Amino acid sequence: MTVHQDQEKSILLNREEGVLVHDGISSEGAKEQAASSTYVHQKRVQDRSTNPSLFNTKEFYLYYLIFIVCVPYMFKTGHDASAEYNPNYEKFKDLLEDGWFGFKMDNSDQQYANFRNNLPILAAVICIYLPLSHLYRRFLVPVTPIKSPRQPLYRAYFFIAFSFIYIYFMHGNSLLKIGAIVSMNYAIAKLGRSSRLMPTLTWIFNLAILFLNETYRGYNFADFHSSLAWLDSNRGMNSRWDVTFNFTMLRLVSFNLDYYWSLRQTREEKQKIDRDRAPATDKERVSTPTFEEDYNFAYYLAFTLYAPLYVAGPIMTFNDFISQLRYPKEIKAKTLGMWFGRLIFCLLTMEFMMHYMHLVAISKRQAWDNDPILQICMIGLFNLVLIWLKLMIIWRFFRFWALADGIEAPENMIRCVLNNYSALGFWRSWHKSYNLWTLRYIYIPLGGTRYAIYNIWVVFTFVAVWHDINLKLLAWAWLISFFVLPEIIASKIFSKKKASSKRKHIDKTEIVGHELAYWGSWPHYRHLCAVGAVGNIFMMMVANLVGFSLGLENTMKMLSDLFGSLYGWTVMCCCFCAIFVCAQMQFEVREAEKRRGIFLNC
């Protein structure tokens, strides 16, 4: 059992479950959003029954054989699409760079290239930050939990000081713009307090900032007044502060709404909170309001500008962050060593992929003219794998930095992108910390599972706008919302515990009588689910190719080529069979986890 799985187990064992974005909907659903809705969230019981292992059956021996043949062939096909002997090589070779051992590599993904090129600088920053943070903590911070609001959180002041230096180094004088926006959001919280108008103003302000940042690309000081033009000369290492500010925006909303819900508590609810002990679970750290005195400007700045998580997250809530300062978690050196090893392994895997396949460059130049249909499919598939891998590396890097500093943020990417058969489960495991955020601050306040079919459109539209304001991502959001609906409907119709019809249950020796036949009792129910999983996987691939890789036009062209010929249909049938086998393996992996007491729910 990995560490993140062990953490997930402890969380999920104490969690009520919903349907969308993340199953971790706790009893906070009725309590913390009581001010915004009278709706009481309905609990959905998780199926924790287990079945005997199938890994040693003849059926799975066949699946192993298919895996042994298909997976290497998939890699070879992806390599053939980008090899020098491919006729389209000339179209994208100018995007390639000299790599290791004389090979060419594809470093054309701007986001990952920026991270990779600045990795030595980031490593140097960590080497400066961590010794200073631990020395400060050792000599100035009490070892025992800080249980009284009159006891200051000294670490917060170190966080603020270092964050100002760090952000100034990154964005130069744009630190003043960030500070102005952060201060205005804080003013909304303090002036609005427990007024029902405060959450509305918070959302209006932060959404407006998203649109203004995108429209004016971070603004120029000269646009405000000509006398301020000299401030534009220092933009730091990265002038686009507005791109990373999207993560800060989530923290701004978190502070305001956590503060609002803390003020809406009844006296009885406040008296039930036991301040003498640390919260037992991560769920409690998120849902339990901290002291009212903790919602101050200093702790607010420490949270919103916390250096290890400032650039890319993972995303924490204000309650969780302050709870970990008052009741520090013990993060063992063995855990840190494991996370560092996994990070290095992921970095090396990415280096191999960048040298072995040049698929990002191919997609940028649309260099797949006259390529076989299967090669085009592999271009799309491995582009999604590369997106998953690069984001996992970035998130794990910054999460490792926070872990080494004693702050445990939620883990993103708890499953491989190719180990997902459910559209709902995929979004629970992908950007998990963001999914938890949308669940807490959007999904539940809008009514949760009671209006799930409607809420998913709001949630995914916000997710698209938050990522970037363009038509491609809006198309992605609406495709995801549309593709989720068949799974919700099918899961209700073909539920494992749902009666399908009345029939006679015949024992080997006698007729027992008339009983309801449940779908889960059907011998081929697992295969029926696998057929549905094939459809889910195909739709998720299409949606993500539209949003994050090929775009709508190129994805439609790929689908047209795929279904426009007999050869395309043949390839599609083979892909169907391969994905069917993959789904069966995914089912059994989850059954094996359940037999070990691990319930990731995705």
Side-chain angles (χ1 to χ4, degrees):
M1 181 188 302
T2 64
V3 171
H4 76 267
Q5 288 173 330
D6 188 43
Q7 293 163 353
E8 287 298 315
K9 176 186 174 184
S10 66
I11 296 170
L12 291 170
L13 287 175
N14 295 281
R15 183 176 281 164
E16 292 183 359
E17 293 152 0
V19 171
L20 177 70
V21 183
H22 193 281
D23 276 348
I25 301 176
S26 68
S27 56
E28 64 186 279
K31 180 173 71 175
E32 67 191 354
Q33 279 89 4
S36 60
S37 175
T38 58
Y39 163 65
V40 177
H41 181 73
Q42 297 297 316
K43 179 179 178 180
R44 180 171 64 85
V45 179
Q46 181 186 4
D47 178 21
R48 294 185 177 179
S49 61
T50 59
N51 297 313
S53 175
L54 298 175
F55 284 128
N56 291 322
T57 62
K58 293 180 180 179
E59 177 186 356
F60 272 70
Y61 290 152
L62 175 62
Y63 296 161
Y64 301 150
L65 178 62
I66 294 173
F67 256 72
I68 291 171
V69 174
C70 286
V71 173
Y73 188 69
M74 289 166 62
F75 274 89
K76 180 184 181 303
T77 303
H79 174 71
D80 290 343
S82 58
E84 292 185 13
Y85 51 77
N86 189 291
N88 293 307
Y89 183 77
E90 295 295 323
K91 297 180 180 179
F92 61 85
K93 72 174 185 178
D94 60 302
L95 294 178
L96 306 182
E97 301 176 5
D98 292 331
W100 300 100
F101 309 114
F103 291 97
K104 290 291 185 179
M105 73 168 187
D106 180 4
N107 195 29
S108 59
D109 185 291
Q110 185 176 356
Q111 185 182 31
Y112 187 75
N114 185 50
F115 171 79
R116 184 178 183 272
N117 297 339
N118 289 302
L119 190 57
I121 297 175
L122 287 170
V125 171
I126 292 178
C127 290
I128 295 171
Y129 174 89
L130 288 177
L132 291 176
S133 179
H134 283 279
L135 285 171
Y136 182 91
R137 184 178 182 182
R138 180 173 182 179
F139 292 107
L140 296 177
V141 179
V143 177
T144 57
I146 307 171
K147 304 175 183 178
S148 169
R150 291 183 294 275
Q151 295 175 283
L153 302 176
Y154 291 107
R155 292 195 73 194
Y157 302 108
F158 174 81
F159 292 162
I160 295 170
F162 190 91
S163 293
F164 280 162
I165 297 171
Y166 176 65
I167 297 173
Y168 184 78
F169 180 73
M170 286 181 57
H171 302 308
N173 293 331
S174 293
L175 174 63
L176 299 174
K177 306 171 193 174
I178 297 169
I181 296 172
V182 168
S183 299
M184 285 188 282
N185 183 77
Y186 181 79
I188 291 173
K190 287 299 179 178
L191 293 175
R193 290 181 61 80
S194 60
S195 168
R196 294 183 182 275
L197 191 60
M198 196 268 270
T200 303
L201 291 176
T202 295
W203 278 110
I204 291 173
F205 173 76
N206 282 281
L207 289 174
I209 290 297
L210 281 184
F211 281 93
L212 290 172
N213 284 354
E214 178 68 20
T215 302
Y216 295 100
R217 297 179 65 83
Y219 325 103
N220 292 314
F221 284 103
D223 295 335
F224 297 100
H225 197 276
S226 58
S227 63
L228 301 176
W230 64 276
L231 291 171
D232 289 321
S233 61
N234 180 11
R235 297 178 180 269
M237 289 184 60
N238 181 5
S239 61
R240 292 302 306 277
W241 65 271
D242 52 297
V243 175
T244 56
F245 191 81
N246 284 16
F247 286 92
T248 306
M249 173 261 176
L250 300 179
R251 291 186 279 270
L252 300 186
V253 172
S254 174
F255 173 84
N256 282 22
L257 295 188
D258 281 1
Y259 178 52
Y260 170 76
W261 288 324
S262 74
L263 296 176
R264 302 287 296 190
Q265 287 185 112
T266 64
R267 181 178 300 177
E268 291 76 14
E269 289 170 338
K270 291 181 180 179
Q271 291 175 347
K272 289 180 181 178
I273 300 175
D274 183 4
R275 301 291 186 184
D276 291 329
R277 66 169 182 86
T281 64
D282 290 343
K283 180 197 72 174
E284 284 191 30
R285 290 185 183 272
V286 171
S287 62
T288 304
T290 186
F291 296 110
E292 185 174 345
E293 293 83 354
D294 288 341
Y295 297 93
N296 61 55
F297 191 63
Y299 299 170
Y300 168 72
L301 285 179
F303 167 64
T304 55
L305 305 180
Y306 180 56
L309 304 180
Y310 178 78
V311 173
I315 302 154
M316 298 181 68
T317 68
F318 181 79
N319 288 346
D320 187 12
F321 182 79
I322 296 300
S323 175
Q324 293 195 42
L325 293 185
R326 288 206 172 275
Y327 306 93
K329 284 189 170 185
E330 181 184 359
I331 301 174
K332 298 179 180 179
K334 181 179 179 181
T335 300
L336 291 175
M338 184 206 68
W339 276 105
F340 182 74
R342 293 174 67 178
L343 175 62
I344 296 300
F345 178 78
C346 291
L347 283 167
L348 294 177
T349 302
M350 188 63 160
E351 289 297 309
F352 168 76
M353 293 291 288
M354 291 168 66
H355 286 73
Y356 186 71
M357 298 182 188
H358 309 143
L359 302 181
V360 177
I362 292 175
S363 64
K364 282 180 177 290
R365 292 294 169 81
Q366 303 175 23
W368 52 68
D369 292 341
N370 300 317
D371 278 355
I373 294 296
L374 185 59
Q375 280 191 14
I376 297 175
C377 291
M378 291 303 102
I379 291 171
L381 176 66
F382 281 107
N383 261 288
L384 295 180
V385 172
L386 288 170
I387 291 171
W388 165 78
L389 187 57
K390 74 166 182 181
L391 291 176
M392 182 173 65
I393 290 170
I394 293 171
W395 284 328
R396 284 190 174 176
F397 177 87
F398 289 109
R399 185 174 187 266
F400 172 78
W401 182 1
L403 279 174
D405 194 33
I407 301 294
E408 184 181 30
E411 166 67 354
N412 294 326
M413 303 292 196
I414 62 175
R415 287 202 189 278
C416 172
V417 65
L418 299 181
N419 187 16
N420 288 277
Y421 62 84
S422 163
L424 297 174
F426 176 78
W427 296 113
R428 295 174 196 135
S429 66
W430 179 264
H431 194 171
K432 182 187 170 183
S433 64
Y434 185 38
N435 291 338
L436 287 169
W437 187 95
T438 56
L439 174 74
R440 177 172 172 82
Y441 299 110
I442 301 178
Y443 184 66
I444 292 177
L446 289 178
T449 54
R450 185 179 182 183
Y451 305 111
I453 292 179
Y454 308 104
N455 289 344
I456 57 175
W457 297 91
V458 178
V459 170
F460 282 112
T461 298
F462 170 79
V463 169
V465 170
W466 178 81
H467 276 90
D468 198 3
I469 303 171
N470 61 49
L471 183 59
K472 183 172 75 171
L473 280 175
L474 284 174
W476 164 83
W478 295 332
L479 279 173
I480 288 293
S481 301
F482 179 74
F483 289 161
V484 162
L485 295 179
E487 180 176 343
I488 294 176
I489 295 170
S491 64
K492 292 182 180 297
I493 296 175
F494 300 105
S495 173
K496 184 177 181 180
K497 300 268 176 107
K498 186 180 180 66
S500 57
S501 63
K502 284 191 175 184
R503 63 175 173 85
K504 284 189 176 182
H505 177 71
I506 303 178
D507 191 72
K508 289 184 178 180
T509 57
E510 61 179 345
I511 298 177
V512 176
H514 292 277
E515 292 184 358
L516 286 174
Y518 295 95
W519 280 109
S521 65
W522 187 37
H524 299 292
Y525 178 72
R526 175 166 53 88
H527 303 88
L528 174 66
C529 291
V531 172
V534 171
N536 269 342
I537 292 170
F538 182 77
M539 290 188 291
M540 285 190 290
M541 288 179 60
V542 170
N544 285 292
L545 286 173
V546 169
F548 297 102
S549 183
L550 303 181
L552 181 61
E553 182 179 349
N554 290 325
T555 302
M556 293 300 294
K557 183 178 184 301
M558 185 188 77
L559 293 176
S560 176
D561 293 339
L562 187 61
F563 293 105
S565 66
L566 179 60
Y567 175 70
W569 278 99
T570 304
V571 170
M572 190 61 198
C573 290
C574 293
C575 289
F576 180 97
C577 294
I579 296 174
F580 180 89
V581 171
C582 183
Q584 294 286 1
M585 297 293 289
Q586 291 177 30
F587 293 162
E588 192 56 26
V589 165
R590 285 155 178 77
E591 285 294 321
E593 289 173 351
K594 288 162 67 175
R595 287 191 289 269
R596 289 155 51 201
I598 302 171
F599 302 95
L600 295 185
N601 225 357
C602 60

